[in-house]
Amino acid sequence: MRVSNLYLGLGALLLTQCTSPKQTTEPVLLTIGAETIPAAEFAYVYEKNNGNADSAYSAASITEYLDLYTNFKLKVAEAKARGLDTTQSFVKELSGYKEQLAQPYLTEKSVTDQLVREAYERLKKEVNAAHILITVDQEADPKDTLAAFQKITDLRQQALSGTPFETLAKQHSQDPSARENNGSLGYFTALQMVYPFENAAFTTPAGQISQPVRTRFGYHLVKVNEVRPAQGEIKVAHIMVRAQQGLPKADSLVAKKKIDELYKRVQRKEDWNMLASQFSEDAASADQGGELPLFGTGRMIPSFEEAAFALDKPGAISPPVQTAYGWHIIKLLERKELPSYEEMETSLRNRIAKDSRSELNKTAFIRRIKTENQFKEVPAIKAATLQLADSSLITGTWKFNVPAEPKNLPSATLFTIKDQPYTVGAFATFIETNQRPRQNASATHAMNLLYDRFVETSLLNYERDHLEEKHKDYKMLVNEYHDGILLFQLMEEKVWAKAVEDTVGLKAFFEQNRDKYMWGTRAKATILSAANPTVLAQAQEQLPQGKYLSVRHKVPELKFDANSDVLSKTATAELDKLAAALQADSTLMVELNAAVDAREAGNRTNSSLAQRRATAVRNYLQQKGVGAESLQVAAVTGKNGRAVGVKVYSTDIQTLADQLNQNNALALQVQSKKFQRGENKALDAVNWAPGTYTATVDGRTVWIKIDQVEAPAPKALNETRGQVISDYQNHLEKEWIKELKQKYPVSVNQTEVQRLLKK
């Protein structure tokens, strides 16, 4: 049993207890302060959250859940006592949830069921089609709609008479892409097009042209070229090297070299799982051999999906494929047919609720609630009201000018829903709020569209306002969210936020419980994992220097004019870039090597020229904000040229790996930090004592240098802050519950508890 489950489920019990103590003749299980909790309510929420557990209805299970339930009720009682259920933020948040919860009750379930089944059957196929579009506004005047219909009908007749469909599409279609693709749409399946279009595509035989079909874009003709079985789903594994868009060019090249080297090793039949584990930069899949969940058409990045579906059989492997996230090598593991209807039903329902099929559902639903809620128009008043349309309605500036006849028109009933009247005045207000300028529409047509919308809106609002009377489960859900929001607000204030913000209390709690927060034995170590002993030797040779030549920051020689120590514009441009890099990375340092040529050396006045050139470079960098500690004049030489050479080093050991991985991206991997046992397989295999160790792990030569082994020691607060905060929150909650029990005395009716036991 989890506390979180209790938070989610207990609210369902609190159906009628949110605002006042409950007076009931039902058997009472629990009393909290002045509030009584019926046994039936507890039984309901217990069954909801524990009914399927093996221990359900045992004494231990009932007792445990009753304790949690009691604590929950104490917090809700406190929230209500403080008036948290009356704040504007609470009312607004609950209103938002109510709107979401109402949606399943504002649809026509039988229509939805039919649409879900239809979509599933269509997902078994993929249609290759082309189309011609003649645009017309969804709310266009009937004459404009008719003109568009006649035009598309004429095009259909031309196509049936022998004019190539593609020619007609290119010349007449108002879909902008038709100029380039002759109307071709390629392959698609269900739920990828607006429903009327999809319907035409899936019901027109291959090789034929559909009847004109109306969508929100206008009228279409659909020519079906081919229908094929759907590709189904596939499972693949991948090895990924990250190289997101915008990465510096040098890093992009490093990523490409690395994926190419990995592909060579894959082609050499090296162990796929080992390569994925060691080198894939998709942390979520690397340890599972790069395996990804099943996916179908349209659920992956196109370039990845195209390469994956192109693999012909399990075990086939793609060359490196680039996506927005980097480079991938893809291995096909499994092909799978379309999942069963049962497996897809929930996701299909969610998708259908959001696509154009929902309009069909909405129409059927409105038709039903019209009947259920006894919708009745008053024809004479309706006719008089529709006659109020004038040209101002077209410009969106219509005002309700009350006519002399019929008398008292604003208060006249336009229609009723159940016994509730909806007046002409209410409709006039609706018009003034919702009107908009319309082109190519008559005032009468605009008035009729607004009337239909007013009726539809009124019916939906009436139904929404009476959902709790019609649907008990909806009422229970609303109350569940009601109490859940209250609980969250109070927990945030009393426990969660307090534990984070109360730094003094947190520190005191940490000091009182320091023995709970300990490091295990740790080794401060450097680990080099090399592709072969030669690479390892090259790395070891440079380690004692403690600084490594950077291959990412190469600076060309800075040239000087004869007998001059003045920096050229080219030189200062290079130094500006170098200064920015030095300020961004504190591990970088520069070594300068200044020189003069033979002619300059022969002039006695140039005896300090090389030094002055080095000084000019150093001073310029310092003027740009580079610290003196990052600059070093290594040598001042003569007769080598009128230039200052610049070498950039880094103390970051990763620079050593960059240097040795120029020809083989996997040549060297380095790590240098404090390790706990279990973090590194090679380190775990050696004796934990200062010294150096060499081993072969997964075919690689590994060198380990342990500088220090630290005995178990207490953690500092900043090293375990997250765990301490979590523990402090638990402590605060327990203390708060104690206070609430003092404030709201708790009494349990053990007779009713015994009646719940079944084991």
Side-chain angles (χ1 to χ4, degrees), residues 674-744:
K674 288 182 180 179
F675 294 83
Q676 289 199 96
R677 289 195 183 277
E679 283 191 68
N680 185 283
K681 184 164 59 175
L683 181 60
D684 288 347
V686 305
N687 181 35
W688 277 36
T692 59
Y693 307 85
T694 303
T696 300
V697 179
D698 295 332
R700 294 176 68 85
T701 304
V702 179
W703 179 83
I704 300 169
K705 179 173 181 286
I706 298 179
D707 296 314
Q708 184 180 356
V709 177
E710 297 181 357
K715 294 180 180 179
L717 179 56
N718 63 359
E719 294 174 322
T720 185
R721 189 177 185 83
Q723 182 60 51
V724 177
I725 287 176
S726 176
D727 292 344
Y728 187 44
Q729 287 171 340
N730 291 334
H731 168 76
L732 289 174
E733 185 174 4
K734 289 178 181 176
E735 294 300 310
W736 181 37
I737 292 293
K738 288 180 184 175
E739 295 175 13
L740 292 177
K741 286 183 176 177
Q742 292 292 322
K743 188 173 182 180
Y744 306 101

Side-chain angles (χ1 to χ4, degrees), residues 6 173 216 297 336 363 431 466 476 509 587 605 619 694:
L6 183 74
S173 179
R216 65 174 182 268
T297 301
K336 194 175 180 181
T363 301
I431 294 173
H466 294 78
M476 294 169 71
F509 176 82
T587 70
T605 61
N619 290 346
T694 303

Side-chain angles (χ1 to χ4, degrees), residues 35 61 121 150 227 264 383 402 408 582 585 609 626 665 684 691:
E35 188 168 357
S61 174
E121 294 302 321
Q150 289 172 339
V227 180
K264 289 177 185 175
V402 180
N408 303 319
L582 288 165
D585 186 348
L609 182 57
V626 177
D684 288 347

Side-chain angles (χ1 to χ4, degrees), residues 555-596:
V555 180
E557 271 193 336
L558 307 176
K559 301 291 187 183
F560 287 81
D561 291 337
N563 305 313
S564 172
D565 60 3
V566 178
L567 292 167
S568 67
K569 288 185 177 178
T570 303
T572 55
E574 291 294 337
L575 291 174
D576 286 343
K577 290 190 286 186
L578 177 60
L582 288 165
Q583 289 177 303
D585 186 348
S586 62
T587 70
L588 296 180
M589 60 185 65
V590 166
E591 185 178 284
L592 305 177
N593 192 323
V596 295

Side-chain angles (χ1 to χ4, degrees), residues 5 30 105 135 230 301 326 511 524 529 543 549 584 651 671 755:
N5 290 338
L30 183 64
Y105 300 90
T135 58
I301 294 173
E511 294 297 336
K524 184 180 179 182
S529 173
L543 275 179
L549 184 63
T651 57
Q671 288 180 284
R755 287 176 178 163

